[in-house]
Amino acid sequence: MCASHDRMVIEFGSWRRQQGETLSTRRIGLLTALLLLLAGATVVLPAGTARAAFPAAAVAQLGPAVPFPFDKPPVKPGGTVDVTTLSLQFSDNASSHVWSTGDTITFEAWNPGSRAPLAITAMTMPSVSATNGFTGFTVVPSRSAASPVDNEFVLTLTQPAPLDSNTTMFTFSDFSVTLSSQQPLTVGVAMRGVASSGTPFAVSTLTGTTAASNSADAILARVAGINVVVQTPVVVRAGETGVALNPFTIMGYQDGDIASGDTISLVLDGGTWVTAPTASGVPSIGQISGIGTATLSFTSLAASQASVPLTLTGAVIDIPTDKAEVQVTLHDAGLSSLPTALTLPVFTTRVLGASRYETADDLLYRDFAGMSNLVLTSGTNYPDALSAIFLAKQLSTGVMITDPNSLSPKVSDVINAHGVQTIYVVGGTAAVSDAVLSQITALVHPPTPIHVVRISGNDRYATNDAVDRHSGQQASTVVIATGGNYADALAAGPALYASGYPLVLVPPSGLGPAQRATLTALGATSAIILGGTNAISSDVEQQLTTMGIQVVQRIAGADRTQTASKIAAWETDGIPMAVPYIGLPSLGFTAQKVDLARGDSFADALVAGAADGSQKVPLLLTGGPTDLAPGVPKFLAGRASVVEFLEALGGTSAISDVTLAAAAAALN
């Protein structure tokens, strides 16, 4: 035994630090192996190697099923998160082991906001089971170097992975994490899985699109101590004065979240308080000071009561001329050791032009500082503009629209202001006429001639194929949407731009020779389908499978607004695995800003795919100008601590003030 120990010390001492691997992970791996040896377990390390390694390929996914469970109250600092299930799924391989004897996964209580271990006071151990008949594993508690308590547990695999084409899933059930009272407020509580070596986790579950990782996070809950709720946000414009705020409330989740004597401050990130609000409810407060400044302050005269609100009514503010959105932030001096600023999203704003062309121009200037290339499509129809997103991403530019027969003055302004040298026109002469091209080449600025490239086909599908194949670049993952309607592809525009996945439009009759040829030319091996079977039939799904293309996900809701909501959830949170599909990882959207577009018309959102995708802003669809529809609140509900402001695309004829205010109210 001593000789074995000596040999292991030498071998573990020769480890090289893997990307993202922590020092504690290496110590945990050594400790786990020693415990296994003492317990009589067999750990076989290949001769001449430091240890076995997971493969480089992404074969593992970490859940739970629903990230950020906003239907549940958040946990406060000092509270306990009860975890029902956490799953770790491996896709087995019949010809090679996806893990080897001695491989470990370390699970650590993790703060996804600070990207650091959670400050916790206790963690109970889970019950663990495995599918596929696998029994070769152990789980032991451990702790990271900076933690005074066990904040980790280690799964050690004492047998190699099964050689089959099945799925082996480990389920960790019924454990809890108790937060320190000094745990900073953050976006959530997570468990992080870190592999001892190799990169088994699917950063992207789409074949060949992104690198694998040695770690993955599973979000379990969110943290908050005090909740701020605005009953109905107001719509404001830059430079407005005398803006009357609607009532809003401050409320603790447990008795005493606001202590007697605490100083509460309400801080504008722009503008000034003109009139102090009247306070009612619990706790009673002292005199409010700070009129004429950006900060109102008052003292709590008693402790707050759980879920009993302090309501503030009648506040009036002035808006600065350089801002179209203003945030009100709460500070509680009783939690001075915590970052206690909580955003109160009381304002919404608009991207508004006199026409769809001016709205498109505002979007372009908002999100693209400069460009030598520009993609141009028709503003009177949708297919070419949706297809153009892939091209715009490849060129790192935005999309503009024009009247088919006359160049939009706003396009001329963009060309002149930015010195655009090449215009890529997507669509045939019926979409953008030769007369428009002549107007472009006749522009005197920039001083060098403007080069115009037209990419088109005989119909919308042929144009879509031409755009997808224009660069000759391959893309292993594609997004499939119907060409018979705009809603699903319109909502997915930001995801298309951010991911760089090409859009393949499919006719109602199903995959035709042109689409098949495009998929083959792109080298597609996986596909995401947008919409239900009424939009893209199950026959298309089968046709893709027959071509050797795996349908990894179908994103569909009960209506277009709910499909858009699920697309936004993919962008921000990811989509969990659900048979027969695998999960999709988040595209890294934060949802600090969310755009709303009219769902029964495409005009104002035609160019939003590139604009929002470049800034990673989700795009939701309403049912109509006065119809919020279910999809918008389905995504926004409970995100008041994340969303800083909402932005409507178009004027009140596209999205009414009442509809916009209702969307903001849905955050709570």
Side-chain angles (χ1 to χ4, degrees):
M1 180 66 74
C2 291
S4 296
H5 284 191
D6 290 344
R7 175 174 172 269
M8 287 189 69
V9 168
I10 293 170
E11 292 190 10
F12 279 94
S14 67
W15 281 1
R16 294 189 178 184
R17 187 171 184 176
Q18 303 292 319
Q19 182 179 2
E21 183 182 12
T22 63
L23 293 174
S24 60
T25 304
R26 298 202 296 276
R27 284 196 293 272
I28 290 162
L30 175 56
L31 174 62
T32 303
L34 291 173
L35 288 173
L36 287 171
L37 287 174
L38 292 172
T42 301
V43 180
V44 180
L45 298 179
T49 62
R51 59 167 304 355
F54 288 102
V59 294
Q61 295 185 72
L62 187 63
V66 181
F68 287 109
F70 281 102
D71 57 325
K72 300 178 182 179
V75 61
K76 63 170 288 185
T80 298
V81 179
D82 293 315
V83 183
T84 304
T85 58
L86 178 71
S87 63
L88 172 65
Q89 176 176 300
F90 287 92
S91 299
D92 297 334
N93 190 300
S95 60
S96 62
H97 298 292
V98 299
W99 72 76
S100 302
T101 298
D103 283 341
T104 66
I105 302 287
T106 299
F107 295 88
E108 182 175 31
W110 189 252
N111 182 334
S114 64
R115 308 299 299 167
L118 277 169
I120 70 171
T121 58
M123 184 171 71
T124 63
M125 285 289 291
S127 301
V128 187
S129 62
T131 63
N132 203 26
F134 187 76
T135 59
F137 65 91
T138 63
V139 177
V140 297
S142 186
R143 67 185 63 176
S144 61
S147 178
V149 299
D150 290 339
N151 64 335
E152 302 175 337
F153 54 85
V154 183
L155 169 71
T156 299
L157 300 157
T158 58
Q159 295 175 0
L163 291 175
D164 57 37
S165 299
N166 300 329
T167 295
T168 302
M169 179 180 292
F170 296 87
T171 302
F172 306 86
S173 306
D174 302 323
F175 64 99
S176 64
V177 175
T178 301
L179 304 181
S180 165
S181 61
Q182 296 302 303
Q183 169 58 44
L185 304 181
T186 184
V187 294
V189 175
M191 291 300 294
R192 188 181 199 222
V194 181
S196 52
S197 57
T199 54
F201 287 107
V203 169
S204 170
T205 55
L206 308 177
T207 305
T209 56
T210 57
S213 174
N214 81 316
S215 65
D217 296 350
I219 307 297
L220 305 175
R222 58 191 172 116
V223 180
I226 302 172
N227 191 23
V228 184
V229 178
V230 58
Q231 295 178 9
T232 306
V234 296
V235 179
V236 298
R237 302 288 182 271
E240 280 193 62
T241 59
V243 176
L245 304 187
N246 291 318
F248 56 94
T249 61
I250 301 171
M251 184 176 67
Y253 288 101
Q254 299 187 24
D255 288 349
D257 279 344
I258 301 173
S260 177
D262 278 0
T263 297
I264 306 295
S265 298
L266 299 170
V267 182
L268 296 171
D269 72 343
T272 56
W273 295 94
V274 176
T275 302
T278 300
S280 61
V282 178
S284 58
I285 65 173
Q287 183 176 357
I288 297 175
S289 62
I291 296 301
T293 73
T295 301
L296 285 187
S297 297
F298 55 84
T299 301
S300 172
L301 301 180
S304 64
Q305 298 176 17
S307 302
V308 178
L310 168 66
T311 301
L312 301 173
T313 306
V316 178
I317 66 172
D318 288 345
I319 307 297
T321 57
D322 61 343
K323 303 202 74 169
E325 70 280 344
V326 179
Q327 300 166 29
V328 180
T329 304
L330 173 85
H331 296 266
D332 176 8
L335 299 176
S336 58
S337 63
L338 306 179
T340 59
L342 298 179
T343 300
L344 171 63
V346 295
F347 297 108
T348 53
T349 188
R350 292 183 184 274
V351 175
L352 173 61
S355 68
R356 66 185 66 183
Y357 304 106
E358 294 189 9
T359 298
D361 177 67
D362 287 347
L363 278 169
L364 188 80
Y365 270 100
R366 186 194 71 179
D367 294 332
F368 294 96
M371 64 206 83
S372 60
N373 301 310
L374 183 66
V375 180
L376 183 66
T377 71
S378 170
T380 60
N381 209 343
Y382 62 86
D384 297 340
L386 299 178
S387 298
I389 294 173
F390 180 52
L391 177 63
K393 172 66 174 182
Q394 292 178 310
L395 298 171
S396 300
T397 189
V399 178
M400 280 292 286
I401 55 176
T402 185
D403 181 275
N405 299 308
S406 178
L407 183 65
S408 164
K410 289 298 182 181
V411 177
S412 299
D413 292 344
V414 169
I415 294 172
N416 290 329
H418 292 275
V420 174
Q421 298 175 3
T422 304
I423 306 289
Y424 292 83
V425 175
V426 176
T429 55
V432 179
S433 67
D434 285 339
V436 170
L437 269 61
S438 297
Q439 289 177 287
I440 293 173
T441 55
L443 293 174
V444 295
H445 297 291
T448 56
I450 300 174
H451 184 49
V452 179
V453 178
R454 185 189 290 275
I455 304 173
S456 66
N458 294 329
D459 59 19
R460 64 184 61 183
Y461 302 104
T463 296
N464 173 246
D465 295 337
V467 171
D468 287 344
R469 301 172 67 174
H470 173 73
S471 69
Q473 296 180 12
Q474 291 199 322
S476 59
T477 302
V478 298
V479 175
I480 307 290
T482 178
N485 206 325
Y486 59 84
D488 297 338
L490 188 74
L496 291 167
Y497 193 93
S499 66
Y501 300 151
L503 173 70
V504 177
L505 295 178
V506 175
S509 58
L511 288 179
Q515 288 78 48
R516 291 174 181 271
T518 296
L519 291 168
T520 300
L522 289 171
T525 57
S526 56
I528 301 167
I529 291 178
L530 302 180
T533 53
N534 288 334
I536 299 293
S537 70
S538 55
D539 289 343
V540 171
E541 197 163 343
Q542 183 57 50
Q543 290 172 323
L544 291 167
T545 302
T546 301
M547 293 181 65
I549 299 173
Q550 181 187 15
V551 178
V552 296
Q553 189 64 237
R554 181 188 282 268
I555 305 177
D559 60 22
R560 63 182 56 190
T561 72
Q562 294 182 68
T563 296
S565 174
K566 289 189 174 183
I567 292 169
W570 166 33
E571 294 164 340
T572 54
D573 304 329
I575 296 178
M577 63 186 88
V579 177
Y581 307 113
I582 65 176
L584 292 178
S586 163
L587 293 176
F589 287 43
T590 64
Q592 288 179 314
K593 176 193 287 186
V594 177
D595 274 358
L596 303 179
R598 179 178 176 178
D600 62 343
S601 176
F602 57 81
D604 290 318
L606 269 185
V607 305
D612 284 349
S614 70
Q615 302 299 311
K616 296 196 171 182
V617 173
L619 176 64
L620 300 178
L621 300 182
T622 69
T626 59
D627 176 19
L628 188 61
V632 175
K634 192 168 187 176
F635 176 78
L636 293 178
R639 295 183 185 262
S641 62
V642 178
V643 178
E644 294 180 358
F645 64 92
L646 298 171
E647 184 172 67
L649 305 184
T652 54
S653 62
I655 297 177
S656 70
D657 282 349
V658 172
T659 302
L660 183 54
L667 286 164
N668 301 292

